[in-house]
Amino acid sequence: MSVSDEVVLISGAARGMGANEARSFAAAGAKLVLGDVLED
């Protein structure tokens, strides 16, 4: 499946699985909308 030029929405993208998926989709050419609430 090609995701080139598709828009992908990922919540929880600051770390962990969400961050890994964001990197994978970006490398595959997708456009990303990322969101997260990370309170340290």
Side-chain angles (χ1 to χ4, degrees):
M1 175 203 295
S2 173
V3 295
S4 182
D5 295 324
E6 295 291 333
V7 177
V8 177
L9 170 65
I10 300 177
S11 62
R15 60 181 169 182
M17 239 170 67
N20 290 335
E21 291 297 324
R23 288 186 196 100
S24 296
F25 278 114
K31 297 174 184 164
L32 303 175
V33 177
L34 306 175
D36 204 318
V37 177
L38 181 62
E39 297 180 19
D40 285 349

